[in-house]
Amino acid sequence: MNPVLEPLFRTVRATHPKADLRLIERAYDVAAYHHRDQKRKSGDPYITHPLAVATILAELGTDDETLCAALLHDTVEDTAYSLDELRGDFGDTIGSLVDGVTKLDKVKFGDAAQAETVRKMVVAMSRDIRVLIIKLADRLHNMRTMRYLPEHKRHQKSRETLEIFAPLAHRLGMNTIKWELEDLAFAMLYPKRYDEIARMVSERAPRRDLFLQEVIEKVSGDLREAKIRAVVKGRPKHYYSVYQKMIARDVAFDDIYDLVGIRVLVDSVRDCYAALGTIHARWNPVPGRFKDYIAMPKFNMYQSLHTTVIGPEGKPVELQIRTHAMHHRAEYGVAAHWKYKEEVGTPGPTGKVKPGSDMAWLRQLLDWQKETSDPGEFLESLRFDLSVSEVYVFTPKGQVIALPEGATPVDFAYAVHTEVGHRCIGARVNGRLVPLESRLGNGDTVEIFTSKSPDAGPSRDWLKFVKSGRARNKIRQWFSKERRETAIEAGKEAIGRAMRKQGLPLQRLMSGEALLALARDLRYPDVSALYAAVGEGHIAAQAVVQKLVASIGGVESAEEDIAETSLPTRLRGRPRGGGAGVVVAGDADVWVRLSKCCTPVPGDEIVGFVTRGHGVSVHRADCTNVQQLKEQPDRLVEVSWSPGDDSVFLVAIQVEALDRPRLLSDVTRTLSDQHVNILSASVTTSRDRVAISKFTFEMGDPKHLGHVLKAVRSIQGVFDVYRVSGAGG
């Protein structure tokens, strides 16, 4: 036997004793031969990648056909070995698995390549779900070795991982893969946020580990007394899931129960409920935090009892109680019981898998893929709603449909079929007529009434209350197809109106370049798409105007530009050169003011611009407004720093932090402790719980700035702080 294969075979013997090792060795030999001259970006021989993918799959307990396909998955795409040769050597099953996994690099799809790859994967996995399992293991090994790729590639792959592959692993119940993919992608995309959460988790670790030990000992003791055989252990913390909980549940870091988690593994379903009773006899449960996923399994076959109790010291503790078999399925999902030609099914109330019943979401994917011609749109439908909370409702025929918490009859209608959604005009829940915006609860039976009219279509108001991504996408898609032209006009008008209202320079701001740059920032392909988005209500006109103004350095800068291009105005009192710490070459007695758009301080390279009636405005050389000022070279003057004891400089800083209560007061207190005079502050919190605060303050000595930044950086939750120029960023 080839010694290279010994670690792989050791794992295979442990997880799948009946596997055909000779077949696996033959697949390795063929792959090693065809990849013999290839190297990975890291410099390692290429064969290390398929071998690592096969090892990941062996740990999951997959069968020998899957392992062979994993070893051969890149041969057809990257070497001269053809699919027909592979089918001849290894049979149709392994051939179709490799074909399903093969990416579409040989076909040029432009931007749609990624979407097409996923579409092909879905079609292939509908025939054999092992295709997706191999694809996930392939992506996991690529993420582990991602550091060798250029930065833009790393970001693109990490985003795909978070948006497509981790949710697919979640849907297949493969939690070990999902958690590792999420943490690797999170660390790659947002290293500073990742480090801050890791720091906050590790700071509390010693205290929390002692607390966990106490809980584990008490739970183990109680279960021994009750004669229940159980393994009780702490749960690992996954940084991305901590971050997701801060966003999805809108809670502060210290309020996340799951940071302290206990898992109880028992022998039978009866023992699960007995253990639950024993735990509740010692500690009071938190109302509304008990979930029975054994009687009502999740869509991905996950089964467990979840309860949160008020533990020692009055602190909440979350416990998961499940059998060893359920635990195996929760960790490895669909891969755990794909042995030989077994059908993958959904678990029944006993926790056993019923062969023959397919996974409902897989069928739903196939429906989407049939009805959606545009691959990009299909990819959107695939970005699953990751919210953990779901409600389970029934069709009149008793079929269970899972929807996000807070879903309405309209969400239900779109989950049944797109046309049912578009034509929905009313609903009956549990036999009673209800408004379309009413919330559905667990166990509701929902019946939808549809319109027979050929002109029937969704209402724009539905977007205000639908909860599922699918319903929202379908409604928007309907409107964008029907009314794109109208929307573009409406959007253009709305932006113009918002600007006139604020008295902003319309021509300057609506110049093609500024708008195009903004459209790209907001991920729209062109300005028309941005106008259409405003017209359809996807983004507010006011938000577009604010972003435009910010891109040229705030309202003051926009007004300053008007002043600098308008007729001379009456001279108002301004500090002379000395107060600003700047002297103009050849004339010491000139009004000088430091521009607010880029807040220059001593040490910055600067240029002066003679304004009409406002003396000389001083900008940083890299300020975006300087590019426009250079169009009038006769008004540019040479300036140099000459700070005096009375000079005061404006400094703008940006603080980026994981949002939490009292964050703003902690930052302002720290700034005050550093003896800086805050002139203005603005705070925005994004949907992903990141608070971005901008502070402008006065300083006498710019060297002091380093201490200020260091002090702010040490505040809990702050992961980045830096000086900004309003225009240049």
Side-chain angles (χ1 to χ4, degrees):
M1 185 206 291
N2 189 330
V4 174
L5 293 174
E6 185 45 49
L8 172 65
F9 284 175
R10 222 180 10 253
T11 310
V12 174
R13 284 189 202 103
T15 58
H16 200 84
K18 294 179 185 171
D20 182 348
L21 298 183
R22 274 187 310 228
L23 180 69
I24 297 170
E25 186 167 14
R26 191 154 62 85
Y28 173 81
D29 291 341
V30 169
Y33 174 75
H34 286 286
H35 287 303
R36 65 191 179 281
D37 299 325
Q38 294 175 327
K39 291 264 192 287
R40 300 202 82 212
K41 288 271 192 293
S42 59
D44 295 334
Y46 194 89
I47 190 64
T48 55
H49 169 64
L51 186 58
V53 173
T55 308
I56 291 169
L57 292 168
E59 286 162 3
L60 296 176
T62 51
D63 61 358
D64 38 22
E65 288 176 338
T66 312
L67 296 175
C68 290
L71 287 165
L72 296 161
H73 78 272
D74 277 334
T75 50
V76 172
E77 185 183 8
D78 293 342
T79 73
Y81 191 49
S82 73
L83 191 58
D84 291 339
E85 285 177 272
L86 192 147
R87 283 185 198 277
D89 291 345
F90 293 96
D92 278 349
T93 308
I94 294 174
S96 59
L97 284 176
V98 171
D99 186 36
V101 178
T102 299
K103 296 191 293 296
L104 302 185
D105 284 357
K106 293 179 180 63
V107 190
K108 291 281 170 273
F109 285 99
D111 293 341
Q114 172 57 41
E116 268 306 334
T117 307
V118 176
R119 180 194 280 272
K120 183 175 183 189
M121 208 163 69
V122 169
V123 175
M125 80 193 195
S126 65
R127 293 194 286 270
D128 194 331
I129 207 164
R130 290 175 291 183
V131 167
L132 183 56
I133 295 169
I134 297 168
K135 189 75 191 166
L136 288 170
D138 173 52
R139 176 50 64 111
L140 178 58
H141 184 249
N142 281 333
M143 287 301 294
R144 286 174 180 172
T145 54
M146 189 67 77
R147 61 186 178 281
Y148 298 106
L149 289 180
E151 190 178 2
H152 72 279
K153 268 267 195 282
R154 289 204 302 264
H155 278 205
Q156 181 201 342
K157 297 278 183 208
S158 300
R159 199 164 292 289
E160 276 172 20
T161 300
L162 277 186
E163 292 180 348
I164 298 162
F165 291 98
L168 283 172
H170 177 53
R171 291 270 148 169
L172 290 178
M174 297 164 69
N175 284 325
T176 45
I177 300 264
K178 167 194 173 243
W179 284 322
E180 192 178 346
L181 281 175
E182 284 179 341
D183 276 0
L184 288 166
F186 181 37
M188 200 69 74
L189 277 176
Y190 305 109
K192 289 176 177 169
R193 297 181 201 183
Y194 179 89
D195 291 344
E196 183 61 25
I197 286 180
R199 187 173 72 87
M200 295 197 299
V201 168
S202 64
E203 267 178 8
R204 292 160 178 71
R207 201 167 63 243
R208 195 170 48 241
D209 290 348
L210 287 173
F211 177 76
L212 267 180
Q213 210 40 54
E214 183 188 347
V215 175
I216 289 171
E217 282 164 16
K218 286 183 175 166
V219 171
S220 303
D222 288 352
L223 293 174
R224 264 197 309 278
E225 274 179 39
K227 307 267 188 300
I228 299 169
R229 279 205 323 184
V231 177
V232 184
K233 52 190 180 183
R235 272 196 357 256
K237 286 103 196 145
H238 300 285
Y239 298 144
Y240 186 70
S241 64
V242 169
Y243 181 52
Q244 282 295 302
K245 286 185 177 102
M246 290 170 71
I247 298 167
R249 294 196 196 154
D250 198 25
V251 291
F253 179 80
D254 288 329
D255 297 335
I256 296 175
Y257 299 148
D258 320 46
L259 280 175
V260 177
I262 303 283
R263 191 170 282 146
V264 180
L265 303 180
V266 294
D267 294 337
S268 68
V269 172
R270 182 173 291 154
D271 285 350
C272 289
Y273 291 101
L276 179 75
T278 309
I279 290 161
H280 282 184
R282 174 180 278 277
W283 291 305
N284 287 334
V286 175
R289 298 279 304 164
F290 171 67
K291 301 271 192 333
D292 186 345
Y293 294 120
I294 293 180
M296 202 68 163
K298 283 192 182 183
F299 53 78
N300 58 11
M301 303 173 300
Y302 174 89
Q303 287 185 291
S304 206
L305 294 177
H306 288 200
T307 183
T308 303
V309 297
I310 301 297
E313 304 168 30
K315 288 183 183 166
V317 185
E318 188 173 84
L319 296 105
Q320 296 175 347
I321 306 162
R322 55 176 81 143
T323 65
H324 291 280
M326 288 173 195
H327 179 59
H328 196 63
R329 198 182 309 122
E331 295 293 287
Y332 305 124
V334 89
H337 43 89
W338 189 283
K339 309 279 194 206
Y340 308 104
K341 299 289 184 290
E342 230 169 53
E343 280 267 325
V344 177
T346 46
T350 57
K352 292 201 171 71
V353 171
K354 293 183 285 188
S357 56
D358 197 4
M359 296 177 76
W361 73 272
L362 205 57
R363 289 199 303 275
Q364 190 183 26
L365 269 190
L366 283 169
D367 291 345
W368 288 353
Q369 110 81 24
K370 282 188 200 110
E371 74 190 34
T372 313
S373 55
D374 171 23
E377 200 181 294
F378 170 66
L379 202 55
E380 273 307 308
S381 310
L382 195 60
R383 297 199 168 126
F384 296 106
D385 176 12
L386 266 183
S387 116
V388 211
S389 311
E390 292 194 314
V391 291
Y392 298 89
V393 295
F394 296 97
T395 66
K397 290 184 179 168
Q399 185 194 346
V400 178
I401 288 188
L403 294 169
E405 194 172 29
T408 64
V410 175
D411 293 290
F412 174 86
Y414 279 102
V416 173
H417 195 277
T418 305
E419 277 308 306
V420 175
H422 285 344
R423 297 181 166 277
C424 165
I425 50 169
R428 192 181 275 151
V429 175
N430 304 329
R432 289 174 50 211
L433 288 169
V434 296
L436 286 178
E437 64 267 29
S438 50
R439 289 168 65 121
L440 299 175
N442 269 323
D444 284 349
T445 301
V446 188
E447 187 184 347
I448 298 293
F449 304 123
T450 54
S451 163
K452 299 284 185 288
S453 157
D455 302 329
S459 157
R460 206 184 283 274
D461 291 341
W462 292 358
L463 287 169
K464 292 176 188 163
F465 57 75
V466 291
K467 283 285 181 281
S468 65
R470 175 177 167 81
R472 190 170 285 109
N473 280 343
K474 293 296 172 193
I475 296 165
R476 282 183 177 157
Q477 184 188 322
W478 192 87
F479 278 107
S480 46
K481 275 184 189 156
E482 296 285 312
R483 299 171 171 74
R484 185 170 166 80
E485 290 305 312
T486 326
I488 289 174
E489 281 310 306
K492 208 172 195 168
E493 253 175 61
I495 292 173
R497 241 189 344 266
M499 284 186 188
R500 279 192 292 274
K501 209 170 178 180
Q502 287 189 36
L504 293 169
L506 215 67
Q507 258 163 329
R508 157 99 199 276
L509 285 174
M510 297 225 11
S511 74
E513 245 173 69
L515 265 175
L516 183 62
L518 180 61
R520 293 265 158 79
D521 280 353
L522 296 172
R523 301 225 180 134
Y524 293 109
D526 51 33
V527 176
S528 301
L530 176 63
Y531 286 148
V534 174
E536 284 164 11
H538 297 189
I539 181 169
Q542 189 55 41
V544 172
V545 174
Q546 278 170 353
K547 285 186 165 62
L548 265 179
V549 170
S551 75
I552 63 148
V555 176
E556 289 104 329
S557 168
E559 285 166 354
E560 182 179 82
D561 288 339
I562 300 171
E564 289 179 359
T565 52
S566 64
L567 295 168
T569 51
R570 195 164 52 81
L571 191 67
R572 293 200 295 274
R574 288 265 189 250
R576 292 196 174 251
V582 174
V583 291
V584 178
D587 193 350
D589 196 27
V590 173
W591 301 107
V592 174
R593 66 188 179 90
L594 300 177
S595 152
K596 283 185 187 170
C597 62
C598 55
T599 56
V601 298
D604 292 341
E605 205 179 316
I606 49 174
V607 295
F609 181 76
V610 180
T611 63
R612 293 196 173 101
H614 289 266
V616 172
S617 70
V618 177
H619 294 260
R620 277 168 49 166
D622 59 356
C623 173
T624 49
N625 288 333
V626 168
Q627 297 311 313
Q628 286 156 330
L629 303 181
K630 280 181 178 166
E631 290 166 15
Q632 303 176 55
D634 53 319
R635 293 172 65 185
L636 289 175
V637 291
E638 205 180 304
V639 285
S640 57
W641 290 110
S642 173
D645 293 340
D646 60 339
S647 300
V648 174
F649 306 99
L650 285 185
V651 177
I653 64 167
Q654 180 154 312
V655 181
E656 295 176 9
L658 301 171
D659 194 26
R660 62 176 175 82
R662 296 185 301 284
L663 174 71
L664 185 60
S665 66
D666 286 355
V667 176
T668 46
R669 193 181 63 245
T670 303
L671 288 173
S672 302
D673 292 347
Q674 292 295 314
H675 311 294
V676 300
N677 179 24
I678 300 172
L679 298 179
S680 69
S682 69
V683 185
T684 53
T685 305
S686 59
R687 229 176 26 171
D688 53 358
R689 291 279 303 195
V690 170
I692 295 179
S693 325
K694 288 193 175 121
F695 294 92
T696 306
F697 48 80
E698 289 179 335
M699 290 183 76
D701 180 5
K703 294 192 190 78
H704 182 42
L705 183 62
H707 300 293
V708 174
L709 297 180
K710 194 174 173 189
V712 174
R713 176 66 188 84
S714 65
I715 298 169
Q716 182 191 306
V718 173
F719 59 80
D720 207 2
V721 54
Y722 48 88
R723 182 183 161 211
V724 291
S725 76

